[in-house]
Amino acid sequence: MSDSEHILVLVAGAAGRMGKEVIRAVWEAPDMEIVGAVDVHGVGEDAGKLAGIGDIGVPILSDIQSAIAARRPDVCVDFTVAGAAEHGIDLCARSSIPCVSGATGLARPALEAAGAQAEANGVGILVAPNFAIGAVLMMRFAAEAARYMPDAEIIELHHENKLDAPSGTALLTADRIAQSRRVAGAAPRPAPAGEIEKVPGARGARGERTGGVPIHSVRLPGFVAHQEVILGGVGQILTIRHDSTDRRSFMPGVLLAIRRVRELKGLVFGLESVM
Ligand code: NAD
């Protein structure tokens, strides 16, 4: 930590929906200070003003590399989008700056390469596709349930501007379910043999399978971030659902990650790793 006794935080993606929420949350945190904000939009504007909390004296800069060099943050928080996030995470690893990223749709090999670099430099990178505590619990409960009810499908519903599908949360949930099935030696019932999508133009109606779990993605205005895990057994259905109705739901998790990432080394995946 810097000698100011505050954790000095740089926010990448500061003009975005999540970035603005992070600016507000970090601004209100008594143990943190915003020292930099980066985005390709709103360059030159004050990050606080953009986030609706008034002038905080932190202008949005366009280039993360020079922002890191100029501001020397203790922690970078990244809520940009895939591509930009991979670049930012890699840069943090090379610059020995701990990084928290919530961006989704990231390429695993790029993350692992950055993780190896971070490990070599003795810093941590925490990547979590969902910072809401309820979503972490939903994934944990779904994994537990899959030991006994291995037949499961996921429906995830997000706002219409979400770029990636399926969501990072759905992918992580499917991964946890698959892992849980393996440990318990529980297998889902095999799909019926033969063609099951006969209607022309209806390909994909059974969802996209990840780890053997079908995922169905809905993108509509009105949603923020929602997910249902449906587990079926003979004569019974168990539904586990989580709804983020406001982006503030992610902020306690983001603040926790900022506080804990400095204790980590290398790539760490999922908020539960620091809970
Ligand atoms: P958004 O489009 O509103 O914001 C992304 C911001 O990144 C934009 O302001 C954009 O200008 C900026 N950006 C793009 N390229 C950039 C670059 N090269 N350098 C700097 N800034 C750049 O999106 P959002 O809804 O805020 O979501 C951001 C990411 O967070 C997405 O990947 C989304 O899936 C993810 N997300 C994660 C969680 C979680 O809990 N982990 C929750 C919600 C959203």
Side-chain angles (χ1 to χ4, degrees), residues 59-128:
I60 302 236
L61 305 173
S62 60
D63 178 45
I64 187 165
Q65 186 159 12
S66 44
I68 286 176
R71 310 303 307 169
R72 291 309 296 173
D74 295 321
V75 176
C76 277
V77 179
D78 167 84
F79 274 96
T80 60
V81 290
E86 285 146 6
H87 171 66
I89 291 168
D90 179 61
L91 204 63
C92 286
R94 288 177 195 287
S95 316
S96 303
I97 307 283
C99 178
V100 171
S101 179
T104 56
L106 306 180
R108 197 74 202 192
L111 271 187
E112 274 161 15
Q117 180 69 61
E119 180 126 33
N121 287 351
V123 293
I125 295 172
L126 176 59
V127 176

Side-chain angles (χ1 to χ4, degrees), residues 14-170:
R17 286 172 290 251
M18 286 296 287
K20 285 190 274 195
E21 204 61 65
V22 173
I23 292 282
R24 288 193 282 270
V26 172
W27 180 251
E28 282 169 14
D31 56 339
M32 296 180 196
E33 188 181 327
I34 302 171
V35 292
V38 176
D39 205 297
V40 288
H41 288 122
V43 176
E45 289 183 54
D46 187 88
K49 221 170 185 170
L50 267 186
I53 52 173
D55 214 313
I56 59 171
V58 179
I60 302 236
L61 305 173
S62 60
D63 178 45
I64 187 165
Q65 186 159 12
S66 44
I68 286 176
R71 310 303 307 169
R72 291 309 296 173
D74 295 321
V75 176
C76 277
V77 179
D78 167 84
F79 274 96
T80 60
V81 290
E86 285 146 6
H87 171 66
I89 291 168
D90 179 61
L91 204 63
C92 286
R94 288 177 195 287
S95 316
S96 303
I97 307 283
C99 178
V100 171
S101 179
T104 56
L106 306 180
R108 197 74 202 192
L111 271 187
E112 274 161 15
Q117 180 69 61
E119 180 126 33
N121 287 351
V123 293
I125 295 172
L126 176 59
V127 176
N130 203 316
F131 281 102
I133 176 73
V136 173
L137 293 174
M138 175 255 301
M139 288 187 258
R140 186 183 290 176
F141 298 156
E144 172 70 9
R147 292 173 58 194
Y148 308 99
M149 298 178 75
D151 290 290
E153 302 207 7
I154 296 171
I155 305 175
E156 54 96 345
L157 313 93
H158 283 81
H159 59 90
E160 76 283 19
N161 292 318
K162 184 169 176 60
L163 296 178
D164 53 318
S167 71
T169 306

